[in-house]
Amino acid sequence: MLEETVVGHHPAHAIELKSISKVYGAVPALLRTDLSVQKGEFLTLLGPSGSGKTTLLNLIAGATGPTTGAILLDGRDITRMPPRDRGIGMVFQNYALMPHMTVFENVAYPLRARREAAKAIRVKVTEALERVGLRGFEDRKPRQLSGGQQQRVGIARCIVYSPAIIMMDEPLGALDKNLREQMQGEIKRLHKDLGTTFIYVTHDQEEALNMSDRICLMSMGEIAQLGTPDELYFQPRSRFVAEFIGESNLISGRMDGRGQMLIAGDRSIAVPGGIPAEGAEMLVMIRPERVRICGIDEAVADDNSLSGEVASSSFIGGTTRVTIRCDNGLNITAKMMSDRSETRPQSGARVNLCWSSADMVVLEN
Ligand code: ADP
Ligand code: MG
């Protein structure tokens, strides 16, 4: 087949979406989106329910066609190519196994559909089951397996024909927390071993932070921010990103012209350098683990401080979350490593809290 050369294609990109959108009837599921997925990377689509994650996967897989735009796979336009010819593997949340078939036959299915020889099928199925730790389970039926084992079969069935891209849509959504964390590690290891491009969907921010090279955070059919886990956590662009990933204290105010921001209760705080001129309305964010609590008589070390009363204190094992109702009306949450109950901040106590302006992030809106 003659390969079509596409102008502007970057060879390091496995998938390129150009101005792709999807409208279902009157519902805009995905607004015009550009996205490049690099070869070999682990990219996660993260976002609340209904933000367009599955729609984006379905467009790449070819399960549905776009309303506008083009999809390139290794530089070739596949926008109108049938799903089977794209060489893209898919793992689903509900496993989608054939209940009447054995584990072996489920995993062999994509190879039989491609009319591979019996001997090659045996070798490849055995290797795929080995990779997911299911050797010896060949003759079982799906109902004789736990949820985690069924999803391993789903993964084996996906990797068995060496697809160029592997996509997983909330594959761990039906599993409990411990198993989910274990499987996160296994999927990461699989990605490293195979070196294949992974596009992974989850609504769980911790899963996304833990697993991804880059995260594409979606909101209402649009990309809210695309970047490494560090970038999304430490440099969130907007209020939505700051609130979706991790916990955040948001403070709004106005620049006073002397490098300080005027906030509630006629207080002013120092903000990071290089910010707008006098009168500008600002929204800034400080993470709870960057806020320190000290005694009301203790000297504060940082360039920002407020005093107030502990409104609530919750001990959640390794960390303790403390919410302070500040005298200027703001509620600020601080998070710290836990001490024993005698030394943890108690509700009603008067405290100072302080933080460094260097740890604050200026948000767009
Ligand atoms: P997510 O996977 O992030 O939860 P989806 O991509 O499934 O989100 O859905 C995005 C939006 O598109 C939602 O508003 C959803 O209701 C709508 N949608 C998805 N699939 C269809 C469909 N087949 N018909 C009509 N609306 C759809
Ligand atoms: Mg979905």
Side-chain angles (χ1 to χ4, degrees), residues 24 27 29 48-56:
Y24 288 108
V27 183
S49 178
S51 58
K53 307 180 297 294
T54 296
T55 299
L56 197 48

Side-chain angles (χ1 to χ4, degrees), residues 53-54 169-170 201:
K53 307 180 297 294
T54 296
D169 195 353
E170 312 221 14
V201 170

Side-chain angles (χ1 to χ4, degrees), residues 16-28:
E16 284 174 85
L17 304 180
K18 302 200 170 208
S19 202
I20 206 87
S21 70
K22 181 69 187 181
V23 179
Y24 288 108
V27 183

Side-chain angles (χ1 to χ4, degrees), residues 213-248:
D213 293 321
R214 287 193 305 161
I215 297 171
C216 178
L217 177 57
M218 316 254 323
S219 168
M220 299 190 289
E222 283 188 287
I223 298 178
Q225 192 168 345
L226 172 66
T228 63
D230 266 50
E231 283 165 351
L232 267 71
Y233 190 78
F234 291 108
Q235 287 133 38
R237 199 184 284 155
S238 64
R239 177 186 194 130
F240 173 80
V241 180
E243 292 190 306
F244 196 85
I245 305 217
E247 273 190 271
S248 52

Side-chain angles (χ1 to χ4, degrees), residues 159-356:
I159 65 175
V160 74
Y161 65 99
S162 308
I165 313 270
I166 291 175
M167 303 204 293
M168 302 191 177
D169 195 353
E170 312 221 14
L172 310 182
L175 307 178
D176 63 40
K177 191 175 185 304
N178 285 338
L179 186 56
R180 215 160 61 214
E181 283 171 8
Q182 184 195 332
M183 296 270 300
Q184 284 173 19
E186 290 180 20
I187 292 172
K188 261 174 76 169
R189 186 151 10 87
L190 188 68
H191 170 253
K192 200 156 164 265
D193 291 349
L194 296 175
T196 307
T197 309
F198 273 47
I199 305 177
Y200 189 92
V201 170
T202 182
H203 62 263
D204 179 338
Q205 42 129 347
E206 286 185 9
E207 192 166 295
L209 291 170
N210 174 27
M211 299 185 77
S212 319
D213 293 321
R214 287 193 305 161
I215 297 171
C216 178
L217 177 57
M218 316 254 323
S219 168
M220 299 190 289
E222 283 188 287
I223 298 178
Q225 192 168 345
L226 172 66
T228 63
D230 266 50
E231 283 165 351
L232 267 71
Y233 190 78
F234 291 108
Q235 287 133 38
R237 199 184 284 155
S238 64
R239 177 186 194 130
F240 173 80
V241 180
E243 292 190 306
F244 196 85
I245 305 217
E247 273 190 271
S248 52
N249 293 296
L250 298 172
I251 306 173
S252 59
R254 188 164 40 80
M255 292 309 293
D256 73 350
R258 284 167 290 137
Q260 297 266 310
M261 187 174 123
L262 289 168
I263 61 169
D266 285 331
R267 296 285 313 223
S268 66
I269 58 174
V271 288
I275 45 159
E278 179 173 0
E281 299 286 341
M282 300 259 293
L283 180 66
V284 296
M285 185 273 282
I286 179 79
R287 294 289 186 195
E289 70 272 21
R290 293 297 184 188
V291 176
R292 276 179 285 274
I293 296 184
C294 44
I296 197 76
D297 299 322
E298 270 177 73
V300 293
D302 295 311
D303 55 352
N304 279 317
S305 74
L306 290 170
S307 51
E309 188 179 303
V310 174
S312 67
S313 174
S314 46
F315 168 61
I316 43 176
T319 55
T320 298
R321 280 175 85 255
V322 182
T323 300
I324 294 97
R325 192 173 304 115
C326 297
D327 299 336
N328 73 337
L330 276 184
N331 283 326
I332 300 279
T333 297
K335 200 149 88 184
M336 65 215 71
M337 308 282 270
S338 292
D339 278 325
R340 290 194 170 271
S341 62
E342 311 86 76
T343 43
R344 288 202 297 269
Q346 305 294 329
S347 287
R350 297 276 312 160
V351 293
N352 277 329
L353 41 85
C354 62
W355 70 92
S356 163

Side-chain angles (χ1 to χ4, degrees), residues 107-126:
V107 177
Y109 188 82
L111 301 175
R112 295 210 194 285
R114 285 169 176 73
R115 309 202 174 286
E116 297 217 8
K119 194 167 165 227
I121 290 178
R122 183 150 296 280
V123 170
K124 288 180 183 178
V125 171
T126 303

